[in-house]
Amino acid sequence: VINLSADSMSGTIEFKRLGVNAFRDLLVFGLDLVKADVKQLDQAQADKLKSLIRANMPLTDKFDEQLEFKGVKVAAQGMDVSFDSFTYGLGFTGLKKDASARFNMGVTKPVIPAHLLPPGTEGTVPDAANFAVAVSNLNLEGVVTYMLDHADFTKPEPLTPQQSDELGKIVLPDGKMHIDFTDVYAKSAVYDVSLAGQMQVNPNNSDKPVVDVTIKAKDLDKTIKYLQDNAQKVPEFGQASFMVLMMKGFGKAEADGTTVWNVKLDEAGKVTINGQEMKI
């Protein structure tokens, strides 16, 4: 059993051009099926479902949800974890030819019982962390249109394996998944690291992504000193401090003391850091 609680919740949910009536009809249709305990649609129900989906296209021009929970507590099997705040967000541009979707999640001041952490690593828990990512260039309109034209919802498997494969080709017009890292960071008293950039991945050749990201670290010397000072407690910190020192040498120092790495990886596997090719 997991118990979740929060002192307060606030947030916003925004829709732009939501087809309320059509969406309501689709929701009622689904609830009626659940109420009647329908296991498999008949032809009339399948036709109605398709007509309701068509009426909802493109569902919305914009959906944006952002929620923040304050004073969050999680209790499970005698283990209590808490956060000053937990943020969660979703965004969606509708069932369009060039659709995008985003997701973000963040926490501040997590309190984790010491016995859940490896000895000596308590200082590595971030005071604040956030992860925000978006996926773009999705042909969701093409996917839905293909489903409506070819799927047989009266069958347990509405699409044949070949048709399912075709959906995968339609959703990614250029054959690649486009991922944007928009607001990724982790901060504590001993480190302050952020990342932003893009990545393209071919699902059929996922071991050869194309990457262009920029990593920034503030007060890197403080991080190195922390790792070195605690290397006797945590032997892995000694190895980590060596790696950070080596990475610092590849970084570009800015006037405010921030170290920056622009990391690029092409389909051929060539890696460059701040324009310098790395031999791997």
Side-chain angles (χ1 to χ4, degrees):
V1 177
I2 299 176
N3 295 312
L4 301 173
S5 65
D7 294 337
S8 64
M9 183 193 79
S10 62
T12 59
I13 298 177
E14 178 185 357
F15 284 100
K16 183 178 179 182
R17 294 183 62 185
L18 174 67
V20 177
N21 291 334
F23 184 73
R24 177 204 59 202
D25 294 342
L26 184 59
L27 181 61
V28 170
F29 175 77
L31 291 175
D32 286 343
L33 293 179
V34 173
K35 184 178 179 180
D37 194 25
V38 174
K39 302 299 184 182
Q40 191 65 54
L41 301 184
D42 59 28
Q43 191 60 56
Q45 292 168 331
D47 292 342
K48 184 175 181 180
L49 175 60
K50 288 188 176 184
S51 67
L52 288 172
I53 294 174
R54 291 186 193 277
N56 271 278
M57 296 288 288
L59 184 63
T60 180
D61 280 348
K62 177 184 180 181
F63 165 74
D64 193 87
E65 176 187 55
Q66 191 67 36
L67 302 176
E68 181 178 28
F69 300 86
K70 294 281 192 180
V72 178
K73 297 179 179 63
V74 182
Q77 297 180 350
M79 298 181 294
D80 296 325
V81 178
S82 65
F83 307 92
D84 263 18
S85 69
F86 172 81
T87 56
Y88 166 83
L90 288 174
F92 176 55
T93 60
L95 302 174
K96 302 176 180 178
K97 291 181 179 179
D98 187 12
S100 64
R102 69 160 185 82
F103 167 77
N104 68 273
M105 181 175 66
V107 298
T108 62
K109 296 185 179 178
V111 177
I112 302 175
H115 68 275
L116 296 180
L117 300 168
T121 64
E122 297 83 1
T124 62
V125 177
D127 294 327
N130 194 73
F131 178 78
V133 63
V135 181
S136 59
N137 198 34
L138 300 171
N139 183 9
L140 298 185
E141 178 183 322
V143 168
V144 176
T145 299
Y146 186 88
M147 285 284 293
L148 295 177
D149 290 343
H150 297 86
D152 185 352
F153 292 119
T154 66
K155 296 180 179 180
E157 298 293 337
L159 295 175
T160 66
Q162 293 78 12
Q163 290 171 333
S164 296
D165 290 342
E166 187 63 25
L167 278 185
K169 298 175 183 177
I170 293 173
V171 70
L172 302 176
D174 64 355
K176 297 178 182 179
M177 183 174 292
H178 295 254
I179 304 170
D180 296 321
F181 301 100
T182 56
D183 192 16
V184 181
Y185 63 79
K187 302 177 182 180
S188 78
V190 297
Y191 59 81
D192 186 341
V193 183
S194 64
L195 178 148
Q198 302 83 37
M199 179 170 66
Q200 297 178 20
V201 181
N202 183 336
N204 296 320
N205 197 11
S206 59
D207 60 340
K208 293 185 178 181
V210 175
V211 180
D212 185 352
V213 297
T214 297
I215 303 167
K216 295 185 178 182
K218 297 180 180 179
D219 299 322
L220 199 57
D221 289 338
K222 183 186 294 186
T223 304
I224 295 170
K225 185 177 186 304
Y226 173 82
L227 293 171
Q228 292 175 337
D229 290 347
N230 291 275
Q232 286 189 337
K233 295 180 181 178
V234 185
E236 291 82 2
F237 282 178
Q239 301 171 10
S241 67
F242 174 77
M243 292 297 297
V244 175
L245 274 169
M246 184 173 66
M247 289 304 300
K248 182 182 178 182
F250 295 121
K252 177 183 177 183
E254 296 190 337
D256 64 354
T258 300
T259 305
V260 179
W261 301 269
N262 174 242
V263 181
K264 294 182 179 180
L265 172 66
D266 65 17
E267 289 182 334
K270 185 177 74 173
V271 179
T272 60
I273 299 179
N274 293 334
Q276 180 179 353
E277 184 175 350
M278 300 289 105
K279 301 296 183 181
I280 299 177

